[in-house]
Amino acid sequence: MGKVKSWCRANAMLVISLLAAVVTAFFVPPDRDYLGYYDLKTLACLFCVLAVVGALRDLHIFSALSQRMVHTFSTVRGVCTALVVITMFGSMLLTNDTALLTFLPLGWFVLSSTGQEKHAALLFILQNCAANLCGMITPFGNPQNLYLYSKFNIPIGEFTLIMLPPFILAVAMITLCCVIFVKPEPIELKSAPEKIDRKRTAAYLFLFAIAIIIVFNFIPYLIGMLFITLTLIVMDRKALAAVDYPLLFTFVFFFIFAGNMARIDVIKNLFSSALQLNPLLFSVISCQFISNVPSAILLSQFTNDYHSLLLGVNIGGVGTLIASLASLITLSKYNSLCPGKTGRYIAEFSAFNFSFLIVLTLFCSFLV
């Protein structure tokens, strides 16, 4: 029983999505229409990105590149800023949760190996904000982007123009926080950079390029997924085993939940009316209670205003701890490394996140 509880806590979003799907199935019994709920391209693209990123992470390429960058700085401010910037770029390419799973441990390694653990909470919070907000600029940076980009067939140029203004503001705010709140104390890193297997790295970067090409519809997603899967079966089966399958099944269950909700007349009328009044604000608020990925899937059933919805579910990723799955990942990692300090972490987390949320929501209200 203890193992079951532990698994449920570790996969809280999956459990919630399953329960949501089951509850709505009582109101809308399973039928043929269920088959139309799923966005198979989104699931395939997400699987490909997660698999290839897992293969790259096994090579320690991200740690090696990060360590080399960190070795060029001599202050806590410089190191923390570098780690936050790395997380920013990581979220643009790897998805926000994968970027955090990759770079949070590196951040702790750097701080703990130099006696600067006191900065862990602030660094983790800023890395979390960087992952949630900076992944908005690419269709594959945040899982909800991948879904909306595919569902509405948004041209890449239009997608970039929609997300660029809040992205620039978010980057400026996060960078400013690094400068203001992290002191320029001297720091020394003694660990040597890890060696990289260049041949495997080149092969996996090619697979990553294939994954991106799939997102942009240059090749059929089924062919691309098959090619990536077969290649990894030969080169790195561990990467396939390590894919975040709970995240994929979370999408599956939320597709069922959203599809059923759209077929319940009372819910349909309520959400349609609310979204007509202020789709941006409603989507931001929705994220605070049911997270950004399920909000994107659910609300997309009731509006075609993907401009406001894209902005809302991206900036809505900051705020409460459940506004984004990535925030729960960060909290879990911090708790395991710094037990007994959860209350202070949550207080600091809330202060930064709600400040970002208020500023970005006001800013984006002028863009729609």
Side-chain angles (χ1 to χ4, degrees), residues 248-325:
L248 291 173
F249 278 102
T250 296
F251 265 79
V252 170
F253 293 133
F254 272 124
F255 281 139
I256 297 174
F257 169 69
N260 285 343
M261 292 285 280
R263 294 171 64 184
I264 301 174
D265 290 336
V266 175
I267 300 297
K268 182 177 181 179
N269 293 334
L270 176 63
F271 276 73
S272 297
S273 299
L275 285 167
Q276 286 179 2
L277 292 174
N278 195 324
L280 172 68
L281 184 59
F282 190 78
S283 57
V284 168
I285 294 174
S286 173
C287 292
Q288 306 310 305
F289 295 97
I290 65 171
S291 188
N292 49 11
V293 172
S295 291
I297 297 173
L298 176 60
L299 300 183
S300 66
Q301 311 300 315
F302 304 99
T303 181
N304 290 318
D305 185 1
Y306 58 78
H307 187 153
S308 298
L309 190 56
L310 262 178
L311 292 172
V313 297
N314 275 281
I315 64 176
V318 292
T320 64
L321 280 165
I322 63 173
S324 170
L325 174 63

Side-chain angles (χ1 to χ4, degrees), residues 114-232:
T114 55
Q116 298 290 339
E117 295 93 334
K118 62 183 179 181
H119 298 287
L122 179 58
L123 175 59
F124 276 29
I125 290 168
L126 292 177
Q127 284 184 288
N128 184 83
C129 291
N132 279 329
L133 293 175
C134 296
M136 73 170 77
I137 194 62
T138 61
F140 40 82
N142 291 331
Q144 68 271 17
N145 281 1
L146 194 56
Y147 167 71
L148 294 175
Y149 178 81
S150 175
K151 177 177 177 59
F152 293 107
N153 294 313
I154 307 172
I156 183 60
E158 182 181 358
F159 179 96
T160 303
L161 288 176
I162 291 172
M163 303 312 304
L164 187 59
F167 169 77
I168 293 174
L169 178 58
V171 170
M173 292 171 63
I174 293 169
T175 304
L176 186 61
C177 285
C178 291
V179 174
I180 294 175
F181 295 104
V182 184
K183 297 180 181 179
E185 301 174 10
I187 191 172
E188 182 180 356
L189 299 175
K190 300 178 181 179
S191 60
E194 297 184 46
K195 294 183 178 180
I196 301 176
D197 185 331
R198 295 187 177 183
K199 291 184 178 180
R200 280 185 172 270
T201 298
Y204 294 159
L205 288 176
F206 173 73
L207 291 183
F208 187 71
I210 295 296
I212 294 176
I213 288 173
I214 295 171
V215 174
F216 292 134
N217 299 315
F218 288 116
I219 60 175
Y221 67 87
L222 287 177
I223 293 176
M225 183 177 68
L226 181 62
F227 176 78
I228 289 173
T229 301
L230 292 177
T231 303
L232 289 178

